[in-house]
Amino acid sequence: MSHQFEKVALLGLGLIGSSLAHAMRRGNLAGTITGHAKSAETRKTALRLGLVDEVFETPGEAVRDADLVVLCVPIGVCRELVQTIAKDLKKGAILTDVGSVKGAVVRDLEPLIPEGVHFIPAHPIAGTEYSGPEAGFAELFDGRWCILTPLYGTDEAALERLKNFWQACGSSIEIMTPEHHDLVLAITSHVPHLIAYNIVGTASDLERVTKSEVVKFSAAGFRDFTRIAASDPVMWRDIFLNNKDAVLEMLGRFSEDISSLQKAIRWGDGDTLLELFTRTREIRRGIIEAGQETDLPDFGRAPASDIETAGKKE
Ligand code: NAP
């Protein structure tokens, strides 16, 4: 069977880069996979795990002759990286990314793309709270959405190739504008993460509840926030700095709604609480029915012993 791409370059070999490598190996999608990451340690690990066939100290060497180049680095690094590699990109190559924010990435990268290179931004809606080259696995994208935000005038054949690539990695494709993507993700991902970071921060600041009580009774709800709040700090700092407008808009709505709940609790308005909690339960059912979550007890969470061995970089 012929490969989808003769040579794929992965810039960034953390959770997403390594999962893409595994998914490409599984589907035999690439003839050769080259890679680059900032640290020698990650580059060495990527070679040892067989994620890539070759690693390079500089990103320019890694992308030379590649038909597909995927930026799998924190959003704040993309511009500098593309400035460095622009002269090394092959004519006709597809350059894509996996960043969780699209508007800022398009604004930063579009002016740097050389003539003849097809730049097609993408965002796989799949992840875990783990980072680094050992955190990846081939199934990460299975049954998950990958959103593509092609720019005006994008080459249809290149778009089709990238769609096929993500489908072969297990994803379903949705196309939207970068602005719409950022609004949707602000409410479905970015604001929920901010709330988790905030609630875990508040709990750790509480003086009248000890740290051991927070840990001991965490299964009451707090534990699920701690999982989200364990996500990579650099990645999430960059998301909030780069999706400022949409996050602030959604936070404004959130604040208004939480004030209404505060009022309902103060005034003993049980009907308002019951109506909301019934409606939100339906939303969870819808997510399970859509195959985006499990209804197994304890959310299908693996026992702690499995998590310990799941390859986590701290
Ligand atoms: P990660 O596990 O922390 O990996 C980031 C990788 O980028 C590492 O290999 C790191 O190298 C490399 N890197 C950082 N700065 C670099 C630089 N200046 N030059 C070259 N390489 C550099 O992060 P991730 O979770 O894979 O996230 C990567 C991207 O995927 C982010 O843009 C994020 O928005 C997006 N994304 C993440 C998720 C998720 O849940 N994690 C989901 C969807 C999309 P070292 O290891 O040497 O530091």
Side-chain angles (χ1 to χ4, degrees):
M1 196 186 75
S2 68
H3 314 293
Q4 286 196 349
F5 291 95
E6 269 321 303
K7 185 169 174 183
V8 177
L10 297 173
L11 302 185
L13 296 162
L15 171 71
I16 301 295
S18 63
S19 295
L20 262 181
H22 284 296
M24 281 193 272
R25 298 282 194 216
R26 179 184 68 178
N28 198 18
L29 307 181
T32 309
I33 307 177
T34 57
H36 163 78
K38 191 173 54 178
S39 70
E41 192 194 337
T42 297
R43 296 196 295 268
K44 207 168 104 194
T45 308
L47 263 188
R48 175 173 56 79
L49 296 174
L51 299 173
V52 292
D53 300 297
E54 273 185 289
V55 280
F56 293 92
E57 230 180 289
T58 67
E61 289 171 287
V63 305
R64 222 160 275 159
D65 294 325
D67 312 289
L68 175 67
V69 176
V70 192
L71 305 174
C72 306
V73 291
I75 296 159
V77 172
C78 287
R79 187 197 338 218
E80 170 197 324
L81 210 51
V82 173
Q83 260 163 353
T84 312
I85 62 169
K87 62 182 186 320
D88 300 299
L89 292 167
K90 180 168 114 172
K91 216 173 168 69
I94 297 175
L95 173 70
T96 186
D97 75 313
V98 295
S100 310
V101 174
K102 297 273 62 94
V105 169
V106 169
R107 180 200 64 210
D108 288 351
L109 302 195
E110 201 182 3
L112 305 173
I113 308 299
E115 185 75 32
V117 170
H118 307 293
F119 171 49
I120 310 176
H123 178 203
I125 312 295
T128 72
E129 65 274 35
Y130 300 116
S131 310
E134 305 205 57
F137 51 100
E139 300 77 22
L140 180 66
F141 309 110
D142 287 351
R144 302 281 170 229
W145 289 101
C146 180
I147 301 178
L148 303 184
T149 62
L151 312 177
Y152 181 74
T154 294
D155 181 79
E156 282 299 325
L159 181 59
E160 206 50 38
R161 283 189 84 187
L162 192 63
K163 271 193 205 172
N164 290 339
F165 174 77
W166 275 107
Q167 280 166 344
C169 289
S171 293
S172 304
I173 307 297
E174 186 85 30
I175 304 267
M176 54 180 79
T177 63
E179 297 71 29
H180 190 68
H181 166 279
D182 288 354
L183 209 56
V184 171
L185 267 292
I187 193 61
T188 54
S189 170
H190 306 168
V191 169
H193 273 79
L194 196 68
I195 292 166
Y197 281 122
N198 188 54
I199 205 156
V200 174
T202 303
S204 84
D205 289 344
L206 276 182
E207 280 167 12
R208 283 191 298 142
V209 178
T210 65
K211 288 243 160 63
S212 67
E213 281 172 313
V214 169
V215 173
K216 185 170 166 189
F217 300 114
S218 64
F222 182 72
R223 188 186 58 181
D224 295 314
F225 283 109
T226 62
R227 188 184 66 74
I228 299 176
S231 299
D232 190 73
V234 172
M235 166 178 153
W236 282 94
R237 178 204 60 194
D238 285 0
I239 287 175
F240 291 114
L241 294 181
N242 285 283
N243 198 18
K244 198 166 155 181
D245 294 346
V247 167
L248 290 178
E249 183 180 333
M250 290 304 167
L251 263 184
R253 286 172 185 240
F254 174 82
S255 307
E256 282 174 24
D257 291 345
I258 207 142
S259 298
S260 311
L261 287 180
Q262 202 176 7
K263 203 163 136 196
I265 293 168
R266 189 186 313 284
W267 294 103
D269 179 359
D271 290 348
T272 296
L273 300 178
L274 201 61
E275 188 276 322
L276 175 70
F277 301 164
T278 308
R279 200 153 43 88
T280 53
R281 201 175 210 197
E282 283 307 310
I283 291 182
R284 176 153 181 87
R285 278 205 195 110
I287 291 171
I288 291 167
E289 276 161 26
Q292 296 295 308
E293 174 61 299
T294 173
D295 59 354
L296 289 172
D298 216 10
F299 305 134
R301 181 180 279 124
S305 56
D306 289 3
I307 293 170
E308 283 309 307
T309 53
K312 118 183 203 196
K313 178 186 113 180
E314 220 66 82

